[in-house]
Amino acid sequence: MFSVVRRFLAATALALGGAHAFAAEVQVAVAANFTAPMHRIAAAFERDTGHKARLAFGASGKFYAQIRNGAPFELFLSADDTTPAKLEEEGAAVAGSRFTYAIGRLVLWSAQAGVVDDKGEVLRRAAFAHLAVANPKTAPYGAAALEVMHKLGVADALAAKLVTGENIAQTHQFVASGNAELGFVALSQVWDDGRLTGGSAWIVPAGLHAPLRQDAVILARGRDNPAARALADYLRGAQAAAIIKSYGYGQ
């Protein structure tokens, strides 16, 4: 009788935990602009699948260099579409695994109310000491910010006022701390559930810069990791899409 009960309990445990019976872990490199939504997505992913995502955040250009030098990442969420494509072409990513997970939006933001007007005219008036931007050589949002300033004809006039962050997270910190009165950051950093979280902002019209199409790709190291494939699939699902949209991204 005891053995029958034991087999029954074992079968019940397997049935209840079957979805998580083969849980794995995936190392993920994530563009800094996607920090807040990715934390939420990773938590939901672990709850729903049992797989765990280990997250690292930074500039896409720096991640590219790290991946090419053997960093143990298995999935890469870039802030652009060119870097994942390049990795795929070079054989450092799984062919055919690349997809767009979000369309980013750029915003000119100040932590103080009333500093940034809703048309961005503050850039022409230039009545400020410091304007923060991400490093355009490694951060696509920084490159987009420079493109906007050139199109508005203010790049030369503002050059001496620029403060460059290593990535978009550091750029946001410059503005949030008051070390720069305003700066170009990702909308996702100052937007939640359809509203600005604080300060003042101008959401830059998409036509003023190249599209911030953000692609993900499974890296060569993640080829045989079920958690890497599962997270890539999850990012394309309805639950992740709702989270991504709530931070102001398009898809």
Side-chain angles (χ1 to χ4, degrees):
M1 175 65 74
F2 177 74
S3 62
V4 172
V5 172
R6 186 169 59 185
R7 286 198 298 271
F8 172 77
L9 292 175
T12 301
L14 181 61
L16 291 175
H20 296 173
F22 301 102
E25 187 172 283
V26 55
Q27 303 289 333
V28 191
V30 186
N33 74 83
F34 205 63
T35 299
M38 193 59 199
H39 276 303
R40 286 181 56 187
I41 290 169
F45 172 69
E46 182 175 359
R47 183 189 66 234
D48 293 345
T49 70
H51 296 308
K52 187 170 186 64
R54 295 286 185 186
L55 309 176
F57 299 96
S60 296
K62 289 202 168 185
F63 276 137
Y64 169 79
Q66 291 170 10
I67 291 164
R68 295 299 288 144
N69 283 303
F73 297 119
E74 298 166 295
L75 183 67
F76 178 35
L77 277 65
S78 183
D80 64 2
D81 56 356
T82 56
T83 306
K86 188 176 181 182
L87 288 168
E88 193 174 13
E89 291 168 5
E90 294 169 346
V94 177
S97 68
R98 180 165 49 91
F99 65 95
T100 299
Y101 67 91
I103 306 294
R105 295 296 305 273
L106 185 69
V107 62
L108 180 66
W109 177 69
S110 174
Q112 300 177 22
V115 172
V116 178
D117 61 282
D118 61 5
K119 296 186 184 300
E121 290 298 321
V122 63
L123 293 173
R124 300 186 192 281
R125 293 193 297 271
F128 50 84
H130 300 105
L131 172 67
V133 296
N135 184 346
K137 295 180 179 179
T138 57
Y141 279 77
L146 289 191
E147 187 178 352
V148 170
M149 287 187 284
H150 279 292
K151 284 194 174 180
L152 294 177
V154 299
D156 290 341
L158 297 178
K161 298 177 183 285
L162 297 184
V163 178
T164 304
E166 179 179 337
N167 53 49
I168 203 68
Q170 187 178 62
T171 305
H172 174 267
Q173 181 58 31
F174 286 159
V175 183
S177 65
N179 288 324
E181 297 97 312
L182 66 166
F184 283 100
V185 301
L187 180 61
S188 60
Q189 295 173 299
V190 297
W191 194 262
D192 193 12
D193 288 331
R195 64 172 64 90
L196 192 67
T197 56
S200 53
W202 171 51
I203 299 176
V204 178
L208 288 179
H209 59 81
L212 286 163
R213 189 176 299 279
Q214 302 190 194
D215 278 9
V217 70
I218 296 175
L219 299 170
R221 285 177 177 268
R223 184 185 307 275
D224 299 320
N225 185 348
R229 182 70 63 179
L231 182 53
D233 291 341
Y234 198 84
L235 282 162
R236 288 175 282 196
Q239 184 152 338
I243 294 171
I244 292 168
K245 183 178 179 181
S246 74
Y247 282 92
Y249 292 96
Q251 282 189 297

